[in-house]
């Protein structure tokens, strides 16, 4: 069926009728009413308009184009005059019960199709004055052409167009009351203007710039309560739904502030003022043809009468505006451009209607219910019709409304429809693609089901579920499942046999059985307990680390004697780059065990350790169950990295979940949330790594055996670089067979001036950089003649075994400012593809005549200037108030840290600078307090009662202020600096000290002695003062090569520190008698 022929046929019939008939008992008017009712093709709304109960000097509105029409009285001469106005509305037959409440100009529904003479109550008799004019049988509803002041109603989302209904909801109480009053007075007219802000919502206009100046003059055809319900009360927050029928375009000329014409006693004065104002503000024709061409200027008396007629709106807190009518400029319907635009719009209508059924239904509703004439024959109405039914941009629709030239209006409407067509085509394409995919899958599924049925009938293949069940039984037969696990397996397998394959529970059960049969129940790999083999493997992979290697050998010796080894939990703690992770790999290789590694750094979900519940979609077991499935044995080595950085979130505490897994007393029956059966982890060797122990929870730390992996000394670093790092870097740089050597002195320079960290990771980076730089210089010096690009070889292999393929080019965007950020413009379309190959490129041989030597003299060309220039600030004896301490840096290395103190006028305060932490600040306070309390013994004051620093301030600074400093080990150095300052005695530059002090002067042990002593050795320190409690640690763990040339003094009290530091000074001779301990 031709859709648009239906539109034409339906629009050719009279779809809207307006007639004024006499509501009498009998007569010819009854015949006309019945005839009109039979000709109507749909329901009508009847609005009764009664005469005013008070006489007035002016009509309700002025209509110069249509003179006042006479009305006939009936034969009885009773003089009953009532007018019935029938107006079409989309809400015909659907009016709510309260739509007939207003006695004048309110909407009522004639759903039964009867004529308008019937009513629920007869109209009241008219007043005796003025006399009844002559009436006619049939009259036409009149719309005022002059309506200078109207209620301004802002609307949102999209503008209204003349001839097309629109329902709006009004919630402002003042606007609701004004609309009701307008309906009662028989003046249901207002101006509708589109809001400029997209999300604005208001029923009043506070600023004339908040709405578009061009809107429509609309008539309220019907109103009903929007919140009508069982508990709703009239007048209390009531909202109205008003159905508007726009008649013409209007333009706002002025925003009239409400509240000036509220008194009925001042009607005459208001009338005169309105008349004079209207005379002054008469509209004039605009100079531009694009603007409106106003109607002939009406008489001032007519405008004044119209202003008086709407003066009752001044008493409401609403928006009232002055408007001018906008008329469409004259046009020739036979113009070729106009006809071409109309034909194209109709064609686009047809295309959209074929693609979008919803759009087709919308056009049908508009054309049948709202358009009075055939819009396809009137260009201006066709443009409005196209904009009204489209869902285009709001600003584009407003432009169509503001266009007064028919050709321009058609052009803008066609643009809106074209965008609608593009959107409809895209939607149709997407719909076709989805339908084709669905149809393809359905067809494949149907054919596969047929194929299964055929094979089953021929006996070629059994049911898929039977094969799955048989597979699970075969897996279970090869495993040594415990009885509890075997029972669960049988129950789940029985459940799967009775479930349909398409059921969701079947997939859950099948996945569970997959995991249950892939855990290596009773399967383990043979272990190698050979001590010599383990020693060889550990020495091949690592240099030094005697403590760690001894612990692994102890573990193997116990296993060799017992024949079995229960799971152990070893925690390797040390600074970054010392090889903790690689130690775990070496242990697995030495034991000949399967290896699995996962990191818990930043982990916040308990489910990663304990698994998810099976009820969740996409549930999985925890990491340890996944590890057992991956390695296929019960006795792997599981490396858990970054235990000290485990997180805690809203999904639980993973550190607490590790307690069960890492506890030898509990992990014999580890219960995963997903598996829900006990799993034996006692044969798993867990190796954990951490940088510090402070952040590891105490219950978790208690379950692990801690092995401290301290930093390497210079000799160990040099050996590691020569045996491991150098060969690896040379091979990675393509110089394996080339004559490129690094002098051993270069390694010492790198360790001393570039890489002072306790680990070797930074040293490895610098060695890699040296070999890369050597490769670059080698290629640049020899040129492309020695190292040509194998272009010919690559193309020749394309015709052999390797088939040349191409892919779409994805080049990097150009750096030019005018270039786009997503693609690079290409001159030739043939360059849009890039060739790909599977042939590996062969390495090139370096000529034997090439010899490269890296020495300390040319090292700067490869790695740049040194990072560290000197190890200590003072090469000579520093001034009084300066001492030398030893610190431990966060990267695992030690440092020599000078402490400077000075005194200045003040109020006895202590000022600390150098980015010092809270603990080191407290150490400074303790040191100063001890010095104050023993000032007389130290010879600072002459008597016991004399006080120091009453009018002096002390300032303590530790250089390298950008580096944070924390810890109690600087206590002895701070106290020495204070004593040196107050006694004006210098401290030798080759004496360094470390140790925590108490308030009574005891020296307490500290940590990081190996790194601190290494830094002192590098700086040329001759004497180190350390706590007596640290003597075993220094003698056992610090290599002799580091202690060579250093004299160690072990102290228990700060008095011993002062005696040693100021040995040979005059002040020290006095302390022999006064400073005793």
């Amino acid at each position: 069926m031709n859709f648009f022929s239906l539109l034409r046929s339906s629009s050719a019939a009279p779809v809207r009728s307006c007639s004024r008939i006499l509501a009498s008992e009998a007569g010819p008017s009854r015949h006309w009413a019945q005839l009109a009712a039979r000709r109507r093709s749909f329901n009508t709304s009847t609005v009764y308009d009664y005469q005013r109960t008070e006489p007035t000097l002016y009509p309700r509105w002025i209509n110069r184009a249509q003179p006042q029409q006479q009305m006939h009285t009936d034969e009885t001469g009773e003089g009953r005059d009532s007018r019935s106005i029938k107006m079409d509305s989309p809400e015909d037959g659907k009016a709510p019960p309260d739509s007939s409440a207003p006695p004048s100009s309110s909407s009522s529904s004639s759903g039964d199709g009867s004529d308008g003479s019937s009513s629920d109550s007869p109209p009241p008799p008219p007043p005796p004055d003025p006399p009844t004019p002559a009436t006619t049988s049939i009259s036409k509803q009149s719309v005022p052409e002059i309506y200078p002041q109207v209620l301004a109603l802002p609307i949102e989302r999209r503008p209204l167009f003349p001839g097309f209904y629109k329902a709006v909801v009004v919630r402002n109480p003042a606007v609701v009351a004004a609309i009701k009053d307008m309906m009662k007075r028989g003046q249901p007219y207002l101006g509708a203007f589109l809001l400029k802000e997209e999300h604005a919502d208001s029923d009043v206009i506070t600023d004339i710039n908040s709405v578009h100046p061009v809107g429509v003059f609309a008539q309220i055809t019907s109103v009903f309560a929007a919140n009508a319900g069982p508990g709703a009360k009239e007048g209390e927050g009531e909202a109205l739904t008003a159905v508007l029928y726009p008649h013409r375009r209007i333009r706002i000329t002025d925003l009239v502030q409400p509240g000036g014409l509220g008194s009925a006693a001042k009607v005459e004065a208001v009338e005169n003022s309105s008349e004079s104002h209207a005379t002054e503000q008469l509209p004039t024709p605009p100079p531009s043809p694009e603007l409106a061409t106003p109607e002939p200027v009406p008489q001032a008396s007519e405008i004044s009468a119209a202003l008086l007629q709407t003066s009752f709106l001044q008493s409401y807190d609403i928006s009232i505006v002055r408007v001018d009518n906008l008329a469409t400029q004259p046009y020739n319907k036979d113009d070729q451009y106009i006809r071409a635009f109309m034909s194209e719009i109709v064609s686009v209508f047809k295309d959209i209607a074929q693609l979008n059924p919803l759009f087709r239904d919308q056009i049908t509703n508009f054309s049948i219910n709202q358009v009075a004439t055939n819009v396809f024959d009137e260009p201006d109405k066709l443009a409005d019709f196209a904009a009204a039914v489209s869902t285009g941009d709001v600003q584009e629709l407003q432009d169509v409304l503001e266009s007064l030239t028919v050709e321009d209006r058609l052009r803008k409407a066609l643009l809106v429809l074209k965008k609608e067509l593009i959107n409809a085509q895209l939607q149709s394409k997407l719909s076709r693609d989805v339908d084709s995919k669905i149809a393809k899958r359905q067809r494949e599924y149907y054919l596969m089901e047929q194929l299964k049925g055929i094979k089953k009938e021929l006996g070629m293949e059994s049911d898929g579920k039977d094969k799955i069940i048989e597979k699970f039984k075969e897996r279970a037969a090869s495993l040594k499942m415990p009885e509890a696990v075997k029972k669960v397996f049988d129950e789940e397998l029985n459940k799967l046999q009775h479930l349909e394959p398409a059921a969701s529970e079947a997939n859950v059960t099948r996945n569970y059985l997959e995991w249950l049969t892939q855990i290596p129940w009773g399967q383990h790999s043979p272990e190698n307990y050979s001590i010599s083999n383990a020693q060889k493997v550990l020495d091949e992979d690592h240099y030094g680390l005697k403590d760690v290697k001894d612990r692994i050998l102890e573990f193997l010796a116990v296993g060799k004697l017992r024949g079995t080894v229960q799971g152990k939990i070893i925690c390797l703690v040390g600074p970054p780059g010392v090889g903790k992770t690689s130690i775990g790999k070496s242990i697995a290789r030495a034991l000949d065990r399967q290896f699995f590694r996962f990191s818990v750094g930043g982990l916040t979900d308990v489910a990663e350790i304990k698994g998810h519940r099976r009820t969740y979609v996409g549930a999985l077991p925890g990491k340890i169950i996944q590890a057992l499935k991956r390695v296929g044995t019960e006795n792997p080595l599981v490396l858990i990295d970054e235990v000290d950085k485990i997180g805690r979130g809203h999904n639980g505490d993973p550190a607490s979940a590790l307690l069960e897994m890492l506890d030898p007393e509990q992990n014999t029956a580890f219960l995963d949330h997903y598996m829900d059966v006990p799993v034996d982890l006692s044969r798993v060797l867990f190796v954990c790594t951490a940088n510090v122990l402070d952040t590891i929870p105490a219950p978790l730390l208690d379950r692990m055996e801690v092995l401290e992996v301290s930093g390497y000394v210079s000799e160990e670093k040099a050996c590691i670089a020569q045996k491991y790092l150098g060969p690896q870097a040379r091979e990675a740089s393509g110089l394996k067979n080339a004559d490129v050597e690094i002098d051993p002195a270069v390694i010492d320079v790198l360790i001393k001036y570039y890489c002072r960290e306790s680990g070797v990771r930074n040293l490895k980076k610098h060695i890699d950089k040296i070999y890369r730089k050597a490769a670059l210089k080698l290629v640049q010096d020899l040129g492309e003649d020695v190292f040509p690009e194998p272009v010919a070889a690559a193309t020749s292999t394309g015709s052999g075994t390797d088939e040349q393929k191409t892919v779409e080019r994805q080049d990097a965007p150009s750096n030019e400012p005018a270039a786009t950020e997503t693609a690079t413009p290409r001159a030739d379309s043939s360059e849009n593809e890039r060739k790909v190959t599977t042939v590996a490129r062969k390495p090139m041989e370096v000529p034997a005549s090439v010899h490269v030597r890296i020495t300390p003299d040319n090292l700067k060309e490869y790695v740049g200037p040194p990072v560290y220039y000197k190890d200590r600030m003072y090469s000579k004896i520093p001034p009084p108030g300066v001492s030398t301490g030893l610190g431990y840096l966060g990267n695992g290395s030690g440092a020599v840290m000078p402490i400077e103190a000075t005194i200045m006028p003040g109020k006895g305060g202590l000022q600390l600078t150098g980015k010092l932490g809270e603990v080191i600040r407290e150490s400074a306070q303790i040191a100063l307090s001890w010095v104050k309390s023993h000032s007389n013994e130290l010879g600072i004051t002459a008597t016991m009662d004399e006080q120091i620093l009453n009018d002096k301030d002390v300032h303590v600074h530790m250089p390298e202020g950008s580096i944070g400093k924390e810890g109690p080990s600087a206590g002895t150095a701070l106290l020495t600096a204070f004593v040196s300052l107050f006694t004006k005695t210098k401290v030798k530059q080759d004496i360094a000290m470390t140790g925590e002090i108490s308030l009574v002067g005891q020296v307490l042990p500290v940590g990081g002695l190996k790194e601190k002593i290494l830094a002192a050795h590098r700086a040329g320190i001759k004497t180190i003062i350390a706590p007596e409690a640290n003597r075993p640690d220094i003698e056992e763990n610090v290599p002799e090569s580091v202690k060579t040339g250093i004299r160690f003094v072990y102290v228990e009290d700060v008095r011993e520190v002062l005696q040693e530091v100021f040995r040979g000074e005059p002040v020290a001779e006095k302390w022999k008698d006064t400073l005793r301990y």
Side-chain angles (χ1 to χ4, degrees), residues 489-596:
F489 172 77
D490 294 338
E491 292 175 355
E492 294 294 328
L493 193 64
N494 185 36
K495 182 196 299 184
L496 182 63
Q497 289 177 343
H498 295 84
L499 288 174
E500 291 294 331
S504 59
E505 184 67 20
N507 292 328
V508 175
T509 305
R510 178 179 175 180
N511 291 336
Y512 178 73
L513 290 173
E514 288 278 357
W515 281 101
L516 196 62
T517 55
Q518 288 182 348
I519 295 178
W521 304 102
Q523 295 182 350
H524 60 276
S525 60
E527 295 177 320
N528 186 1
Y529 293 128
S530 174
I531 302 298
S532 59
N533 177 69
Q535 185 75 47
K536 178 182 178 182
V537 171
L538 293 176
D539 290 340
E540 286 178 356
D541 294 344
H542 294 85
Y543 181 83
L545 303 177
K546 182 177 182 300
D547 295 340
V548 178
K549 294 179 180 179
D550 291 344
R551 178 64 187 88
I552 301 304
L553 296 179
E554 294 169 4
F555 176 79
L556 294 178
V558 173
K560 193 177 188 65
L561 296 177
R562 292 188 57 188
T564 180
V565 177
Q566 296 296 325
K568 298 295 181 180
I569 297 92
I570 300 174
C571 182
L572 302 176
V573 180
V578 296
K580 298 183 296 295
T581 303
S582 60
I583 290 174
K585 296 179 182 179
S586 299
I587 295 173
R589 195 161 70 93
L591 296 175
D592 199 15
R593 285 195 177 196
Q594 295 283 78
F595 178 79
F596 183 86

Side-chain angles (χ1 to χ4, degrees), residues 222-286:
S222 62
V223 295
F224 52 88
N227 59 345
K233 294 183 180 180
E234 184 177 359
E236 295 184 2
E238 183 180 6
L240 286 183
T241 297
V243 180
L244 307 181
Y245 182 79
H247 287 284
R248 59 176 177 266
R249 289 171 169 80
I250 57 175
R251 181 189 296 276
I252 297 178
T253 59
D254 188 17
L255 177 62
V256 180
Q257 297 297 328
L261 304 175
S263 176
K266 298 180 181 180
V267 171
E268 190 69 26
V270 171
E271 174 189 347
N272 295 335
S273 62
S274 300
E275 179 179 354
S276 61
H277 183 76
T279 305
E280 297 174 359
Q281 300 293 334
L282 291 178
T284 57

Side-chain angles (χ1 to χ4, degrees), residues 1023-1028 1031 1047-1051 1056 1060 1063:
T1023 303
I1024 294 179
I1025 302 175
E1028 177 66 28
R1031 182 194 292 266
R1047 184 173 66 91
F1048 291 90
V1049 179
Y1050 301 101
V1051 297
E1056 300 179 52
E1060 179 63 32
R1063 182 184 302 273

Side-chain angles (χ1 to χ4, degrees), residues 274 357 369 412 463 518 561-562 631-632 744 785 854 881 894 906 1012:
S274 300
N369 295 334
K412 293 179 178 179
D463 192 4
Q518 288 182 348
L561 296 177
R562 292 188 57 188
V631 299
D785 296 336
I854 294 94
K1012 293 177 181 179

Side-chain angles (χ1 to χ4, degrees), residues 388 704 777:
M704 297 186 295
K777 288 186 176 182

